[in-house]
Amino acid sequence: MNMQPQSDPQVLTTRDGTPLKVSLAKALRREKLRSLALIAPLLIFILVTFAAPIADMLFRSVENGIVENTLPKTVNALSDWDVTSSQLPGEPVYKALYEDLKVATEEKTHTRLGSRLNYEASGMSSLFRKTGRRIKRMDEAGPFAEQFIDIDKDWGDLATWRLLKRYAPKYTPGYFLNAADAQLTADGIAMKPANERIYLLLFARTLFLSLTITLCCLLLGYPIAFLLASLPLRSANLLMILVLLPFWTSLLVRTSAWKVLLQQEGVINDFLVWIGVIGDASRLVMINNKTGTIIAMTHILLPFMILPLFSVMKTISPTYVRAAKSLGATDWTAFWRVYFPQTVPGIGAGAILVFILAIGYYITPELVGGTDGIFISNRIAYHISSSLNWGLAAALGVILLGAVLLLFYVYDKIVGIDNVKLG
Amino acid sequence: MSALPAYASTGQRAWHYSFRIICGLIFFFLIFPILVILPLSFNAQNFFTFTPQMLALDPAGYSLKHYEDFFTNPDWQQALRNSFAIAPVATLLATSFGTLAAIGLSQSHVPYRSAIMAILISPMIVPLIISAAGMYFFYSRIGLQGTYVGVVLAHAALGTPFVIITVTATLVGFDRSLVRAAASLGANPVTTFFKVQMPLIIPGVVSGALFAFITSFDEVVVVLFLGSAGQKTLPWQMFTGLREQISPTILAVASLMVAISIILLTVLELLRRRSERLRGLTPS
């Protein structure tokens, strides 16, 4: 085929006659597709193995299908009942409850519903167990309301029905409210009684301990980074090994080392007794409390502070400080007014990095934190493996994740996600 | 800072030396806990502290019995085997996917580059306990909870960000005209990749793989939730040991792991130097 490229002299064409623009766009598209094809396997892999689990957790933190799945007829019958009324629901609701519970006891799902509702009001678990045991002996002809109230007077209590009605929808903010020490009541959202509030305190403690650890890391890390940046390269590299070795050593190795050192019969206490600073009877309690968590985690996270600080300080030219001194500044003024402001990006990067890592820590607080040195993550683990309240674990996880992502956004603005350096 | 000038005043001298002492103390804080477990692991008693005999340097105070216990105890041996069954496979997955993706990401025109990067890096950012919780919920839905495959997939996902970061860093110094030169000489893309690009980025790939390996080898939170007794790894065994304070065998294991860290650190440093030499940069 003979192409006629000279149709419009204004348009540049390639040799086969396609306009240059089209040809270039095609090449660009091909290049884009090729790069996407290279990325696709990993992207799919991460979406399936990692992003989907996180999405599942978000879903679980609000999901509440259990009430409707276990008691479908009751939920339906309850829809006409007004929560604010002072009247118990009518006979049809009790009849529906009877039919639902009969099925549920056969499938043994009523106990699970009981434990789910028990998170919201204590006593629900035993109510459902008790009713489940007696349901076979009930008279199928009715009247159901009286029989239920006869089994347990809680069925004649407005609060029980209000609770059922409140948690009937498929999605609930209940877990999040629980995570914030609040609950849904007939009058809307209210704080829990003071003696049942634990999570706000735990969040506050997690923040406080993480901040303390970040501050300790900054105080210890700044002089080291400064020294490393000002020494000649050869000796700085040698000393850098002392920073990198802990960085590369297993987390569990370092935690076990602190466990050995800090115990009451441990190396530090033995040494202090031996030099006579403290008496044998008054050995310091440094583990299984806040002190243990702070010391061990400061040690574990210190390299994450030193490395970003060092990389910023290395780029600061020594001529600025020399210029300041030649203009008559004292050593302190030259440091504080000239050198220090230039290290602020490094401080920001290191501090956010340490803080992000600290607030999600689990292993070290679990091993050396005792009861008052634990973090919100330990509570999440507890709800997953011991109390089996997965919804609450998910809600606490979502709140923690939100905090970390927010901080990471700030980190990205200051440092840039591409500038994350390793070792 | 490095050297004190001859005209320094007494105050400057005093500060200079006290600053050095402070730094020395901080270095001591960093390194002492790791060094202290080495002699303690040779303790002849079942204590976590120095016995009077050890302090007197009496040979009777030292023994290899904790190491012997590690190498003969079936629990620890099983844990060691499990760790070596999981980590290499997870590393292989993470490295192959990660290297391909890093090459893709380093092309000049990648649509939605920052969004993709954010997703791929996310396993490194999300706190481990949250990853563990999410994976536990999701993997139990699809029947992977408590299986070898589940643990390997999870560890591979956690390791990929490190591979991406290290390989991307080596690709920054990669001269793209080399690829074009290869193509102009008639090499197809696959040949170009293996003969031209791969030899140049191999240090980045290997150090990424080392990071992925150590991530899996050290990981305890995710395996604690996702694994069943059959996937009990070395860190898991250490975690239980520490919680219950069973025996100082933990210290022997810890010492061996410190030795492994030192080897890894040396390998990484050598790789870094080689990479810089290959890229024509002077080693720093």
Side-chain angles (χ1 to χ4, degrees):
Chain A
M1 196 167 73
N2 201 4
M3 293 295 286
Q4 300 301 316
Q6 69 278 17
S7 55
D8 184 353
Q10 297 301 101
V11 177
L12 288 172
T13 59
T14 53
R15 231 181 56 181
D16 60 358
T18 33
L20 187 60
K21 257 189 186 161
V22 176
S23 178
L24 277 177
K26 212 165 148 194
L28 188 64
R29 202 163 53 236
R30 208 179 304 128
E31 197 178 329
K32 278 184 181 176
L33 279 178
R34 204 180 57 205
S35 59
L36 281 184
L38 286 169
I39 300 169
L42 181 64
L43 193 61
I44 294 167
F45 180 74
I46 292 290
L47 285 178
V48 173
T49 59
F50 187 80
I54 300 290
D56 188 27
M57 187 181 74
L58 293 175
F59 174 67
R60 268 187 206 264
S61 65
V62 290
E63 191 256 0
N64 189 46
I66 186 163
V67 179
E68 205 185 298
N69 292 342
T70 323
L71 308 172
K73 290 178 185 161
T74 319
V75 168
N76 195 22
L78 263 179
S79 58
D80 300 332
W81 183 62
D82 181 13
V83 203
T84 52
S85 78
S86 52
Q87 293 272 307
L88 280 171
E91 181 68 12
V93 174
Y94 282 98
K95 186 166 184 288
L97 180 69
Y98 171 72
E99 285 163 5
D100 283 338
L101 274 180
K102 224 176 136 184
V103 178
T105 14
E106 268 163 32
E107 290 168 359
K108 304 215 185 302
T109 50
H110 67 293
T111 50
R112 261 200 275 159
L113 177 64
S115 357
R116 161 67 188 99
L117 291 173
N118 208 49
Y119 300 143
E120 312 299 340
S122 50
M124 294 304 281
S125 181
S126 59
L127 173 67
F128 274 88
R129 269 172 212 284
K130 193 171 166 190
T131 317
R133 276 199 302 274
R134 310 256 291 259
I135 196 106
K136 284 202 191 86
R137 276 180 273 154
M138 278 174 72
D139 184 0
E140 282 192 40
F144 293 105
E146 275 170 39
Q147 291 190 68
F148 269 111
I149 296 169
D150 197 40
I151 291 174
D152 196 312
K153 61 178 180 353
D154 278 355
W155 287 119
D157 189 352
L158 274 173
T160 311
W161 289 103
R162 285 188 181 143
L163 187 80
L164 266 181
K165 172 110 181 162
R166 214 160 36 238
Y167 288 96
K170 266 195 162 29
Y171 300 99
T172 172
Y175 293 121
F176 278 101
L177 291 174
N178 262 331
D181 285 338
Q183 56 189 3
L184 266 181
T185 63
D187 316 317
I189 297 165
M191 291 304 285
K192 283 193 177 173
N195 57 348
E196 286 177 25
R197 293 181 197 170
I198 49 172
Y199 295 109
L200 289 185
L201 181 74
L202 205 54
F203 274 116
R205 187 201 288 153
T206 305
L207 284 182
F208 170 75
L209 284 179
S210 305
L211 276 176
T212 314
I213 290 159
T214 311
L215 198 70
C216 290
C217 282
L218 182 62
L219 287 179
L220 297 181
Y222 198 91
I224 293 294
F226 182 72
L227 181 78
L228 288 176
S230 57
L231 281 178
L233 212 56
R234 191 175 292 272
S235 24
N237 273 348
L238 250 146
L239 285 177
M240 199 53 153
I241 294 174
L242 298 184
V243 178
L244 289 180
L245 183 61
F247 181 74
W248 272 98
T249 308
S250 163
L251 169 71
L252 277 159
V253 171
R254 286 183 280 168
T255 309
S256 40
W258 282 111
K259 207 151 174 155
V260 169
L261 286 171
L262 295 176
Q263 288 178 74
Q264 280 196 284
E265 299 297 321
V267 176
I268 292 180
N269 265 316
D270 279 356
F271 180 72
L272 290 177
V273 170
W274 182 66
I275 60 170
V277 177
I278 54 171
D280 199 17
S282 57
R283 283 167 177 263
L284 301 174
V285 184
M286 292 181 291
I287 203 162
N288 295 334
N289 57 19
K290 278 185 190 135
T291 325
T293 307
I294 292 174
I295 295 176
M297 284 187 59
T298 301
H299 176 252
I300 288 167
L301 296 175
L302 191 51
F304 292 95
M305 179 65 90
I306 295 176
L307 295 173
L309 267 178
F310 172 68
S311 65
V312 167
M313 286 178 178
K314 223 170 40 172
T315 62
I316 298 173
S317 162
T319 49
Y320 296 129
V321 172
R322 246 179 270 150
K325 282 187 189 166
S326 79
L327 290 170
T330 60
D331 285 350
W332 169 249
T333 319
F335 168 76
W336 184 244
R337 300 281 298 275
V338 177
Y339 190 82
F340 182 78
Q342 298 183 76
T343 63
V344 168
I347 295 178
I352 295 179
L353 193 58
V354 169
F355 190 78
I356 290 177
L357 290 169
I359 68 173
Y361 243 58
Y362 167 65
I363 293 297
T364 309
E366 181 76 18
L367 289 173
V368 300
T371 50
D372 74 343
I374 60 163
F375 283 16
I376 199 74
S377 40
N378 302 83
R379 201 70 195 169
I380 297 176
Y382 164 78
H383 281 307
I384 293 174
S385 49
S386 304
S387 85
L388 303 181
N389 189 349
W390 289 8
L392 183 55
L396 290 170
V398 170
I399 296 175
L400 183 61
L401 182 64
V404 169
L405 290 185
L406 187 73
L407 282 166
F408 203 82
Y409 176 76
V410 178
Y411 181 84
D412 191 30
K413 286 283 153 227
I414 297 180
V415 197
I417 195 167
D418 291 349
N419 292 338
V420 187
K421 290 228 173 59
L422 298 167
Chain B
M1 184 69 235
S2 49
L4 214 50
Y7 51 80
S9 68
T10 325
Q12 278 170 329
R13 256 170 227 282
W15 169 242
H16 179 82
Y17 290 111
S18 42
F19 181 74
R20 294 256 159 137
I21 291 170
I22 293 170
C23 286
L25 288 176
I26 301 172
F27 277 123
F28 181 74
F29 170 74
L30 266 172
I31 213 76
F32 178 69
I34 294 170
L35 294 185
V36 83
I37 52 176
L38 298 178
L40 279 179
S41 66
F42 295 103
N43 199 336
Q45 305 291 322
N46 282 337
F47 293 140
F48 278 105
T49 186
F50 289 101
T51 55
Q53 285 147 309
M54 291 182 85
L55 292 175
L57 293 179
D58 180 356
Y62 295 87
S63 87
L64 286 172
K65 71 175 206 179
H66 303 309
Y67 288 90
E68 198 188 315
D69 183 39
F70 171 67
F71 284 110
T72 51
N73 187 321
D75 281 352
W76 285 104
Q77 285 307 298
Q78 186 58 43
L80 186 68
R81 269 198 297 277
N82 283 337
S83 276
F84 276 109
I86 291 169
V89 183
T91 307
L92 191 70
L93 278 177
T95 314
S96 38
F97 283 144
T99 308
L100 277 186
I103 292 171
L105 279 168
S106 68
Q107 315 270 328
S108 37
H109 302 285
V110 186
Y112 311 111
R113 187 172 189 279
S114 50
I116 292 175
M117 192 72 174
I119 294 174
L120 296 186
I121 297 288
S122 61
M124 195 174 81
I125 299 156
V126 174
L128 275 175
I129 184 75
I130 294 177
S131 315
M135 285 170 169
Y136 179 73
F137 296 147
F138 186 70
Y139 286 19
S140 39
R141 262 187 221 274
I142 57 175
L144 283 178
Q145 200 270 328
T147 65
Y148 170 75
V149 177
V151 176
V152 167
L153 288 182
H155 277 184
L158 294 178
T160 47
F162 299 101
V163 179
I164 293 197
I165 289 174
T166 49
V167 178
T168 320
T170 16
L171 281 168
V172 168
F174 180 73
D175 188 354
R176 297 203 56 82
S177 52
L178 291 175
V179 175
R180 256 173 267 142
S184 78
L185 292 170
N188 62 25
V190 178
T191 317
T192 315
F193 175 73
F194 282 109
K195 292 272 176 185
V196 179
Q197 201 163 13
M198 200 61 186
L200 281 169
I201 62 169
I202 199 80
V205 176
V206 174
S207 61
L210 282 179
F211 270 103
F213 183 83
I214 207 83
T215 307
S216 168
F217 200 71
D218 257 6
E219 208 289 322
V220 55
V221 187
V222 168
V223 78
L224 211 53
F225 284 99
L226 273 190
S228 58
Q231 287 87 44
K232 202 163 201 174
T233 58
L234 214 48
W236 184 350
Q237 181 73 23
M238 282 182 84
F239 180 73
T240 7
L242 278 174
R243 211 151 48 169
E244 288 145 22
Q245 286 247 356
I246 36 170
S247 88
T249 306
I250 290 170
L251 295 184
V253 183
S255 306
L256 290 173
M257 288 176 90
V258 171
I260 294 177
S261 318
I262 293 174
I263 294 168
L264 277 179
L265 189 61
T266 320
V267 173
L268 266 180
E269 178 62 21
L270 293 177
L271 278 173
R272 196 178 61 84
R273 291 195 179 167
R274 186 185 136 82
S275 154
E276 283 179 353
R277 206 175 54 237
L278 280 179
R279 283 156 51 183
L281 305 170
T282 43
S284 59

